Amino acid sequence: MYKNDDFIRIIKNRLSEKRFEHSLNVAESAKELAKKFGADEEKAYTAGILHDIMKEESIDIQLEYIAKNGENTEKLKFANTQIYHQMSGTAYCRVELGVDDEDILSAIRYHTTGRRNMTLLEKVVYTADFISADRCYPDVDVMRKKASESLDEAMLYSLRYTITDLAKKAKPIHTDTVECYNDILENFKEKDLEL
């Protein structure tokens, strides 16, 4: 079985320098968030390292791996191709790297779209991807502050942005993203929290 040092060497050979650094930063952010919120730090770090392993691969190869993982590629016809890497990355990690930890695989699988009923580890990796040290979008400090207080608040903030941005660009919004947003929103209302 590979260890994190091996995974780091593997992604270094597969990714651009910028994407490689991003992956290391996400791994560090994921480990910190895991420690803060009580998730498995080692799994968070591993998922962070591997989350973008297929990000720079061609669409055709990504679709091949998605099919190898038993997912229906026909359903992806109208999907935003930017989400393919979370599915192909999961498949690559399972098929080529022998990763069999379902917690790690699902954290990779949903790090872009989210989903309804996300696990703590999935939320950690999803959020870490938004707040890693290399991120410099206009609201990154707001997002980092929210992440330091509540994963759900941070996710709700990022999901609002993502959904609005995709809608403005007339791009498809994955149903997992919509369900994730609705699920977190419902949890806020159930807890009677301020949005």
Side-chain angles (χ1 to χ4, degrees):
M1 175 67 181
Y2 290 108
K3 300 211 180 305
N4 284 333
D5 287 344
D6 301 316
F7 292 144
I8 290 169
R9 278 193 295 278
I10 290 166
I11 66 165
K12 186 167 182 54
N13 290 325
R14 292 187 55 82
L15 301 174
S16 66
E17 185 62 30
K18 183 177 180 181
R19 182 69 49 192
F20 172 69
E21 289 300 325
H22 168 70
S23 297
L24 295 181
N25 286 326
V26 170
E28 286 299 329
S29 292
K31 187 175 181 178
E32 289 170 22
L33 289 173
K35 183 175 185 176
K36 179 169 183 62
F37 293 105
D40 186 302
E41 294 174 46
E42 189 70 17
K43 288 183 182 186
Y45 189 82
T46 302
I49 291 170
L50 297 172
H51 82 287
D52 274 353
I53 195 163
M54 292 291 280
K55 181 81 171 180
E56 297 174 340
E57 199 57 76
S58 74
I59 296 299
D60 289 341
I61 290 174
Q62 288 193 57
L63 287 170
E64 283 178 30
Y65 274 98
I66 292 168
K68 281 182 188 179
N69 204 37
E71 294 203 48
N72 183 351
T73 56
E74 194 61 28
K75 291 187 336 188
L76 296 175
K77 230 186 252 184
F78 300 107
N80 183 340
T81 57
Q82 292 298 309
I83 67 163
Y84 286 12
H85 76 284
Q86 70 176 17
M87 293 172 272
S88 61
T90 303
Y92 185 89
C93 289
R94 186 188 309 273
V95 172
E96 302 297 338
L97 303 181
V99 176
D100 59 2
D101 187 304
E102 291 302 323
D103 295 334
I104 293 170
L105 292 170
S106 70
I108 296 166
R109 171 65 177 81
Y110 296 104
H111 82 267
T112 304
T113 59
R115 69 170 175 160
R116 180 173 284 279
N117 297 320
M118 288 181 81
T119 66
L120 179 58
L121 186 64
E122 290 168 1
K123 288 179 180 182
V124 160
V125 175
Y126 177 97
T127 304
D129 195 19
F130 271 90
I131 66 163
S132 63
D134 57 296
R135 294 293 195 190
C136 58
Y137 55 89
D139 284 357
V140 71
D141 289 334
V142 174
M143 185 64 182
R144 287 180 179 136
K145 183 172 184 340
K146 287 185 179 294
S148 73
E149 298 165 358
S150 164
L151 290 175
D152 282 350
E153 278 188 41
M155 287 190 65
L156 190 59
Y157 191 82
S158 66
L159 286 160
R160 279 182 185 156
Y161 170 81
T162 299
I163 291 168
T164 303
D165 186 56
L166 289 171
K168 281 181 186 173
K169 294 176 180 173
K171 290 194 173 190
I173 301 167
H174 197 283
T175 53
D176 282 343
T177 302
V178 175
E179 288 183 15
C180 183
Y181 173 79
N182 288 341
D183 185 45
I184 291 175
L185 197 60
E186 287 165 19
N187 288 336
F188 269 85
K189 289 186 176 178
E190 283 173 15
K191 295 174 185 169
D192 202 27
L193 297 172
E194 292 285 324
L195 297 177

